[in-house]
mmCIF file of all heavy atoms in Angstrom:
data_model
loop_
_atom_site.group_PDB
_atom_site.id
_atom_site.type_symbol
_atom_site.label_atom_id
_atom_site.label_comp_id
_atom_site.label_asym_id
_atom_site.label_seq_id
_atom_site.Cartn_x
_atom_site.Cartn_y
_atom_site.Cartn_z
ATOM 1 N N GLY A 1 4.322 -5.021 -0.695
ATOM 2 C CA GLY A 1 4.151 -6.156 0.199
ATOM 3 C C GLY A 1 3.468 -5.851 1.510
ATOM 4 O O GLY A 1 2.907 -4.779 1.720
ATOM 5 N N ARG A 2 3.547 -6.834 2.416
ATOM 6 C CA ARG A 2 3.002 -6.699 3.755
ATOM 7 C C ARG A 2 4.024 -6.031 4.672
ATOM 8 O O ARG A 2 5.230 -6.130 4.456
ATOM 9 C CB ARG A 2 2.663 -8.073 4.347
ATOM 10 C CG ARG A 2 1.599 -8.839 3.600
ATOM 11 C CD ARG A 2 1.278 -10.143 4.322
ATOM 12 N NE ARG A 2 2.474 -10.980 4.469
ATOM 13 C CZ ARG A 2 2.882 -11.872 3.596
ATOM 14 N NH1 ARG A 2 2.206 -12.053 2.477
ATOM 15 N NH2 ARG A 2 3.959 -12.589 3.806
ATOM 16 N N VAL A 3 3.520 -5.423 5.732
ATOM 17 C CA VAL A 3 4.353 -5.024 6.866
ATOM 18 C C VAL A 3 3.848 -5.790 8.081
ATOM 19 O O VAL A 3 2.654 -5.752 8.400
ATOM 20 C CB VAL A 3 4.307 -3.510 7.123
ATOM 21 C CG1 VAL A 3 5.075 -3.164 8.395
ATOM 22 C CG2 VAL A 3 4.880 -2.733 5.944
ATOM 23 N N THR A 4 4.764 -6.502 8.749
ATOM 24 C CA THR A 4 4.409 -7.322 9.909
ATOM 25 C C THR A 4 5.297 -6.944 11.077
ATOM 26 O O THR A 4 6.526 -6.849 10.921
ATOM 27 C CB THR A 4 4.591 -8.819 9.597
ATOM 28 O OG1 THR A 4 3.830 -9.159 8.432
ATOM 29 C CG2 THR A 4 4.136 -9.669 10.762
ATOM 30 N N THR A 5 4.704 -6.722 12.254
ATOM 31 C CA THR A 5 5.462 -6.371 13.453
ATOM 32 C C THR A 5 5.082 -7.290 14.598
ATOM 33 O O THR A 5 4.003 -7.887 14.608
ATOM 34 C CB THR A 5 5.202 -4.909 13.867
ATOM 35 O OG1 THR A 5 3.797 -4.750 14.174
ATOM 36 C CG2 THR A 5 5.593 -3.940 12.779
ATOM 37 N N SER A 6 5.997 -7.364 15.593
ATOM 38 C CA SER A 6 5.687 -8.161 16.778
ATOM 39 C C SER A 6 6.364 -7.568 18.006
ATOM 40 O O SER A 6 7.430 -6.953 17.916
ATOM 41 C CB SER A 6 6.142 -9.622 16.597
ATOM 42 O OG SER A 6 7.546 -9.707 16.465
ATOM 43 N N ASN A 7 5.707 -7.725 19.142
ATOM 44 C CA ASN A 7 6.218 -7.312 20.458
ATOM 45 C C ASN A 7 6.708 -5.856 20.433
ATOM 46 O O ASN A 7 6.055 -5.004 19.849
ATOM 47 C CB ASN A 7 7.283 -8.292 20.932
ATOM 48 C CG ASN A 7 6.717 -9.695 21.124
ATOM 49 O OD1 ASN A 7 5.605 -9.840 21.626
ATOM 50 N ND2 ASN A 7 7.451 -10.705 20.723
ATOM 51 N N ASN A 8 7.820 -5.550 21.076
ATOM 52 C CA ASN A 8 8.319 -4.177 21.109
ATOM 53 C C ASN A 8 8.973 -3.852 19.775
ATOM 54 O O ASN A 8 10.137 -4.146 19.551
ATOM 55 C CB ASN A 8 9.321 -3.996 22.247
ATOM 56 C CG ASN A 8 8.661 -4.077 23.609
ATOM 57 O OD1 ASN A 8 7.444 -3.961 23.722
ATOM 58 N ND2 ASN A 8 9.448 -4.249 24.649
ATOM 59 N N ALA A 9 8.227 -3.224 18.887
ATOM 60 C CA ALA A 9 8.654 -3.087 17.499
ATOM 61 C C ALA A 9 9.243 -1.714 17.184
ATOM 62 O O ALA A 9 10.386 -1.614 16.743
ATOM 63 C CB ALA A 9 7.477 -3.378 16.567
ATOM 64 N N ILE A 10 8.473 -0.640 17.388
ATOM 65 C CA ILE A 10 8.878 0.689 16.924
ATOM 66 C C ILE A 10 8.654 1.703 18.036
ATOM 67 O O ILE A 10 7.588 1.728 18.663
ATOM 68 C CB ILE A 10 8.074 1.103 15.676
ATOM 69 C CG1 ILE A 10 8.256 0.082 14.543
ATOM 70 C CG2 ILE A 10 8.466 2.502 15.211
ATOM 71 C CD1 ILE A 10 7.344 0.315 13.363
ATOM 72 N N GLN A 11 9.645 2.576 18.248
ATOM 73 C CA GLN A 11 9.541 3.562 19.335
ATOM 74 C C GLN A 11 10.217 4.870 18.921
ATOM 75 O O GLN A 11 11.380 4.880 18.514
ATOM 76 C CB GLN A 11 10.201 3.006 20.598
ATOM 77 C CG GLN A 11 9.991 3.829 21.845
ATOM 78 C CD GLN A 11 10.628 3.158 23.061
ATOM 79 O OE1 GLN A 11 11.827 2.926 23.093
ATOM 80 N NE2 GLN A 11 9.810 2.833 24.052
ATOM 81 N N ALA A 12 9.466 5.985 19.070
ATOM 82 C CA ALA A 12 9.989 7.329 18.779
ATOM 83 C C ALA A 12 9.534 8.259 19.906
ATOM 84 O O ALA A 12 8.702 9.140 19.710
ATOM 85 C CB ALA A 12 9.497 7.824 17.427
ATOM 86 N N ASN A 13 10.101 8.060 21.090
ATOM 87 C CA ASN A 13 9.637 8.729 22.302
ATOM 88 C C ASN A 13 10.542 9.884 22.721
ATOM 89 O O ASN A 13 11.748 9.894 22.447
ATOM 90 C CB ASN A 13 9.572 7.746 23.468
ATOM 91 C CG ASN A 13 8.467 6.723 23.334
ATOM 92 O OD1 ASN A 13 7.634 6.812 22.441
ATOM 93 N ND2 ASN A 13 8.457 5.753 24.218
ATOM 94 N N ALA A 14 9.932 10.830 23.439
ATOM 95 C CA ALA A 14 10.652 11.889 24.159
ATOM 96 C C ALA A 14 9.731 12.260 25.323
ATOM 97 O O ALA A 14 8.776 13.018 25.138
ATOM 98 C CB ALA A 14 10.939 13.082 23.278
ATOM 99 N N THR A 15 9.983 11.726 26.500
ATOM 100 C CA THR A 15 9.011 11.807 27.585
ATOM 101 C C THR A 15 9.459 12.641 28.781
ATOM 102 O O THR A 15 8.706 12.766 29.742
ATOM 103 C CB THR A 15 8.648 10.390 28.079
ATOM 104 O OG1 THR A 15 9.839 9.699 28.473
ATOM 105 C CG2 THR A 15 7.950 9.597 26.981
ATOM 106 N N ARG A 16 10.657 13.223 28.721
ATOM 107 C CA ARG A 16 11.059 14.119 29.796
ATOM 108 C C ARG A 16 10.254 15.412 29.729
ATOM 109 O O ARG A 16 9.662 15.755 28.719
ATOM 110 C CB ARG A 16 12.560 14.419 29.713
ATOM 111 C CG ARG A 16 13.463 13.235 30.018
ATOM 112 C CD ARG A 16 13.473 12.882 31.500
ATOM 113 N NE ARG A 16 14.020 13.967 32.317
ATOM 114 C CZ ARG A 16 15.312 14.144 32.567
ATOM 115 N NH1 ARG A 16 16.215 13.329 32.051
ATOM 116 N NH2 ARG A 16 15.705 15.146 33.334
ATOM 117 N N SER A 17 10.275 16.181 30.811
ATOM 118 C CA SER A 17 9.460 17.379 30.952
ATOM 119 C C SER A 17 9.531 18.297 29.729
ATOM 120 O O SER A 17 10.615 18.621 29.241
ATOM 121 C CB SER A 17 9.920 18.146 32.196
ATOM 122 O OG SER A 17 9.209 19.346 32.349
ATOM 123 N N GLY A 18 8.366 18.710 29.230
ATOM 124 C CA GLY A 18 8.292 19.642 28.116
ATOM 125 C C GLY A 18 8.541 19.049 26.747
ATOM 126 O O GLY A 18 8.580 19.789 25.763
ATOM 127 N N SER A 19 8.656 17.738 26.645
ATOM 128 C CA SER A 19 9.051 17.113 25.379
ATOM 129 C C SER A 19 7.856 16.712 24.518
ATOM 130 O O SER A 19 6.734 16.546 25.010
ATOM 131 C CB SER A 19 9.927 15.897 25.646
ATOM 132 O OG SER A 19 11.134 16.273 26.271
ATOM 133 N N ARG A 20 8.130 16.538 23.227
ATOM 134 C CA ARG A 20 7.112 16.222 22.245
ATOM 135 C C ARG A 20 7.377 14.838 21.652
ATOM 136 O O ARG A 20 8.524 14.519 21.315
ATOM 137 C CB ARG A 20 7.116 17.269 21.123
ATOM 138 C CG ARG A 20 6.793 18.678 21.623
ATOM 139 C CD ARG A 20 7.234 19.756 20.670
ATOM 140 N NE ARG A 20 8.685 19.825 20.548
ATOM 141 C CZ ARG A 20 9.486 20.442 21.427
ATOM 142 N NH1 ARG A 20 8.991 21.021 22.503
ATOM 143 N NH2 ARG A 20 10.798 20.467 21.246
ATOM 144 N N GLY A 21 6.331 14.072 21.515
ATOM 145 C CA GLY A 21 6.461 12.746 20.922
ATOM 146 C C GLY A 21 6.879 12.817 19.470
ATOM 147 O O GLY A 21 6.685 13.832 18.792
ATOM 148 N N GLY A 22 7.451 11.732 18.984
ATOM 149 C CA GLY A 22 7.939 11.679 17.617
ATOM 150 C C GLY A 22 6.857 11.326 16.615
ATOM 151 O O GLY A 22 5.656 11.417 16.898
ATOM 152 N N THR A 23 7.308 10.909 15.441
ATOM 153 C CA THR A 23 6.405 10.575 14.336
ATOM 154 C C THR A 23 6.727 9.175 13.838
ATOM 155 O O THR A 23 7.881 8.868 13.534
ATOM 156 C CB THR A 23 6.571 11.571 13.174
ATOM 157 O OG1 THR A 23 6.255 12.886 13.641
ATOM 158 C CG2 THR A 23 5.660 11.212 12.015
ATOM 159 N N VAL A 24 5.702 8.327 13.761
ATOM 160 C CA VAL A 24 5.841 6.979 13.208
ATOM 161 C C VAL A 24 4.871 6.845 12.044
ATOM 162 O O VAL A 24 3.661 7.053 12.208
ATOM 163 C CB VAL A 24 5.563 5.895 14.257
ATOM 164 C CG1 VAL A 24 5.599 4.506 13.615
ATOM 165 C CG2 VAL A 24 6.566 5.969 15.396
ATOM 166 N N ILE A 25 5.403 6.492 10.875
ATOM 167 C CA ILE A 25 4.598 6.281 9.674
ATOM 168 C C ILE A 25 4.843 4.855 9.198
ATOM 169 O O ILE A 25 5.995 4.467 8.962
ATOM 170 C CB ILE A 25 4.981 7.276 8.562
ATOM 171 C CG1 ILE A 25 4.777 8.728 9.036
ATOM 172 C CG2 ILE A 25 4.189 7.001 7.291
ATOM 173 C CD1 ILE A 25 5.422 9.757 8.128
ATOM 174 N N VAL A 26 3.786 4.071 9.058
ATOM 175 C CA VAL A 26 3.901 2.695 8.567
ATOM 176 C C VAL A 26 2.947 2.542 7.391
ATOM 177 O O VAL A 26 1.743 2.781 7.527
ATOM 178 C CB VAL A 26 3.560 1.671 9.664
ATOM 179 C CG1 VAL A 26 3.782 0.251 9.141
ATOM 180 C CG2 VAL A 26 4.382 1.909 10.923
ATOM 181 N N GLU A 27 3.488 2.140 6.236
ATOM 182 C CA GLU A 27 2.680 2.019 5.028
ATOM 183 C C GLU A 27 2.958 0.687 4.351
ATOM 184 O O GLU A 27 4.118 0.287 4.209
ATOM 185 C CB GLU A 27 2.976 3.163 4.060
ATOM 186 C CG GLU A 27 2.634 4.536 4.635
ATOM 187 C CD GLU A 27 2.904 5.659 3.669
ATOM 188 O OE1 GLU A 27 3.584 5.412 2.645
ATOM 189 O OE2 GLU A 27 2.447 6.787 3.923
ATOM 190 N N ALA A 28 1.896 0.011 3.946
ATOM 191 C CA ALA A 28 2.019 -1.309 3.328
ATOM 192 C C ALA A 28 1.243 -1.359 2.026
ATOM 193 O O ALA A 28 0.071 -0.965 1.986
ATOM 194 C CB ALA A 28 1.510 -2.391 4.281
ATOM 195 N N GLY A 29 1.893 -1.865 0.978
ATOM 196 C CA GLY A 29 1.210 -2.050 -0.294
ATOM 197 C C GLY A 29 0.183 -3.163 -0.248
ATOM 198 O O GLY A 29 -0.721 -3.218 -1.082
ATOM 199 N N SER A 30 0.312 -4.069 0.731
ATOM 200 C CA SER A 30 -0.647 -5.144 0.960
ATOM 201 C C SER A 30 -1.159 -5.006 2.400
ATOM 202 O O SER A 30 -1.414 -3.896 2.852
ATOM 203 C CB SER A 30 0.026 -6.493 0.716
ATOM 204 O OG SER A 30 -0.878 -7.552 0.924
ATOM 205 N N ASP A 31 -1.268 -6.094 3.148
ATOM 206 C CA ASP A 31 -1.787 -6.030 4.517
ATOM 207 C C ASP A 31 -0.767 -5.441 5.481
ATOM 208 O O ASP A 31 0.453 -5.590 5.306
ATOM 209 C CB ASP A 31 -2.173 -7.427 5.001
ATOM 210 C CG ASP A 31 -3.352 -8.008 4.238
ATOM 211 O OD1 ASP A 31 -4.153 -7.220 3.691
ATOM 212 O OD2 ASP A 31 -3.464 -9.243 4.175
ATOM 213 N N LEU A 32 -1.280 -4.788 6.513
ATOM 214 C CA LEU A 32 -0.451 -4.273 7.607
ATOM 215 C C LEU A 32 -0.834 -5.050 8.850
ATOM 216 O O LEU A 32 -1.956 -4.908 9.364
ATOM 217 C CB LEU A 32 -0.687 -2.773 7.802
ATOM 218 C CG LEU A 32 0.398 -1.970 8.510
ATOM 219 C CD1 LEU A 32 0.082 -0.477 8.447
ATOM 220 C CD2 LEU A 32 0.563 -2.381 9.957
ATOM 221 N N ILE A 33 0.086 -5.899 9.327
ATOM 222 C CA ILE A 33 -0.218 -6.846 10.396
ATOM 223 C C ILE A 33 0.558 -6.422 11.646
ATOM 224 O O ILE A 33 1.729 -6.767 11.821
ATOM 225 C CB ILE A 33 0.163 -8.283 9.975
ATOM 226 C CG1 ILE A 33 -0.515 -8.626 8.641
ATOM 227 C CG2 ILE A 33 -0.222 -9.283 11.047
ATOM 228 C CD1 ILE A 33 0.057 -9.854 7.966
ATOM 229 N N PHE A 34 -0.085 -5.658 12.518
ATOM 230 C CA PHE A 34 0.582 -5.210 13.737
ATOM 231 C C PHE A 34 0.734 -6.341 14.755
ATOM 232 O O PHE A 34 1.623 -6.307 15.597
ATOM 233 C CB PHE A 34 -0.192 -4.061 14.381
ATOM 234 C CG PHE A 34 0.015 -2.728 13.725
ATOM 235 C CD1 PHE A 34 -1.050 -2.029 13.196
ATOM 236 C CD2 PHE A 34 1.278 -2.164 13.635
ATOM 237 C CE1 PHE A 34 -0.869 -0.789 12.600
ATOM 238 C CE2 PHE A 34 1.480 -0.933 13.038
ATOM 239 C CZ PHE A 34 0.397 -0.246 12.526
ATOM 240 N N GLY A 35 -0.137 -7.352 14.698
ATOM 241 C CA GLY A 35 -0.091 -8.418 15.687
ATOM 242 C C GLY A 35 -0.266 -7.862 17.085
ATOM 243 O O GLY A 35 -1.118 -6.998 17.332
ATOM 244 N N MET A 36 0.573 -8.332 18.019
ATOM 245 C CA MET A 36 0.527 -7.834 19.397
ATOM 246 C C MET A 36 1.646 -6.830 19.656
ATOM 247 O O MET A 36 2.132 -6.687 20.776
ATOM 248 C CB MET A 36 0.609 -8.996 20.388
ATOM 249 C CG MET A 36 -0.583 -9.924 20.331
ATOM 250 S SD MET A 36 -0.586 -11.205 21.607
ATOM 251 C CE MET A 36 0.766 -12.239 21.040
ATOM 252 N N ALA A 37 2.058 -6.117 18.628
ATOM 253 C CA ALA A 37 3.216 -5.231 18.728
ATOM 254 C C ALA A 37 2.892 -3.944 19.468
ATOM 255 O O ALA A 37 1.764 -3.441 19.454
ATOM 256 C CB ALA A 37 3.739 -4.898 17.338
ATOM 257 N N SER A 38 3.938 -3.388 20.078
ATOM 258 C CA SER A 38 3.885 -2.053 20.667
ATOM 259 C C SER A 38 4.535 -1.076 19.698
ATOM 260 O O SER A 38 5.689 -1.240 19.310
ATOM 261 C CB SER A 38 4.622 -2.023 22.012
ATOM 262 O OG SER A 38 4.755 -0.691 22.486
ATOM 263 N N ILE A 39 3.762 -0.061 19.318
ATOM 264 C CA ILE A 39 4.242 1.034 18.471
ATOM 265 C C ILE A 39 4.065 2.311 19.294
ATOM 266 O O ILE A 39 2.943 2.654 19.673
ATOM 267 C CB ILE A 39 3.444 1.151 17.157
ATOM 268 C CG1 ILE A 39 3.294 -0.224 16.468
ATOM 269 C CG2 ILE A 39 4.066 2.191 16.249
ATOM 270 C CD1 ILE A 39 4.565 -0.831 15.978
ATOM 271 N N GLN A 40 5.153 3.035 19.574
ATOM 272 C CA GLN A 40 5.078 4.194 20.460
ATOM 273 C C GLN A 40 5.658 5.445 19.806
ATOM 274 O O GLN A 40 6.677 5.386 19.116
ATOM 275 C CB GLN A 40 5.825 3.942 21.767
ATOM 276 C CG GLN A 40 5.232 2.853 22.627
ATOM 277 C CD GLN A 40 5.915 2.752 23.991
ATOM 278 O OE1 GLN A 40 6.972 3.336 24.204
ATOM 279 N NE2 GLN A 40 5.303 2.021 24.903
ATOM 280 N N ALA A 41 4.981 6.585 20.078
ATOM 281 C CA ALA A 41 5.492 7.912 19.744
ATOM 282 C C ALA A 41 5.056 8.838 20.883
ATOM 283 O O ALA A 41 4.284 9.769 20.693
ATOM 284 C CB ALA A 41 4.957 8.385 18.406
ATOM 285 N N LYS A 42 5.563 8.576 22.068
ATOM 286 C CA LYS A 42 5.082 9.235 23.280
ATOM 287 C C LYS A 42 5.850 10.512 23.584
ATOM 288 O O LYS A 42 7.062 10.580 23.418
ATOM 289 C CB LYS A 42 5.210 8.271 24.470
ATOM 290 C CG LYS A 42 4.350 7.040 24.352
ATOM 291 C CD LYS A 42 4.707 5.980 25.378
ATOM 292 C CE LYS A 42 4.566 6.472 26.798
ATOM 293 N NZ LYS A 42 4.869 5.400 27.782
ATOM 294 N N GLY A 43 5.110 11.517 24.058
ATOM 295 C CA GLY A 43 5.695 12.744 24.557
ATOM 296 C C GLY A 43 5.453 12.878 26.046
ATOM 297 O O GLY A 43 4.965 11.959 26.702
ATOM 298 N N ALA A 44 5.772 14.046 26.589
ATOM 299 C CA ALA A 44 5.624 14.303 28.021
ATOM 300 C C ALA A 44 4.199 14.774 28.341
ATOM 301 O O ALA A 44 3.479 15.289 27.476
ATOM 302 C CB ALA A 44 6.630 15.350 28.470
ATOM 303 N N ASN A 45 3.820 14.622 29.594
ATOM 304 C CA ASN A 45 2.547 15.139 30.098
ATOM 305 C C ASN A 45 2.752 16.258 31.110
ATOM 306 O O ASN A 45 1.825 16.617 31.837
ATOM 307 C CB ASN A 45 1.734 14.006 30.714
ATOM 308 C CG ASN A 45 1.021 13.188 29.656
ATOM 309 O OD1 ASN A 45 0.199 13.700 28.907
ATOM 310 N ND2 ASN A 45 1.343 11.901 29.567
ATOM 311 N N SER A 46 3.961 16.803 31.165
ATOM 312 C CA SER A 46 4.247 17.921 32.065
ATOM 313 C C SER A 46 5.350 18.761 31.442
ATOM 314 O O SER A 46 6.009 18.326 30.498
ATOM 315 C CB SER A 46 4.699 17.406 33.435
ATOM 316 O OG SER A 46 5.908 16.663 33.313
ATOM 317 N N GLY A 47 5.518 19.993 31.961
ATOM 318 C CA GLY A 47 6.653 20.766 31.481
ATOM 319 C C GLY A 47 6.390 22.199 31.099
ATOM 320 O O GLY A 47 7.232 22.830 30.486
#
């Protein structure tokens, strides 16, 4: 099927000093409709 997301949808963050962002995998057998969603896997920029 489809995967549909909206607004603040998926988050795998680690943003404190020295940290590494996570992993987000999204797979759809049909359409993948992110819309205006926020998908995050953020890490740190210092550390």
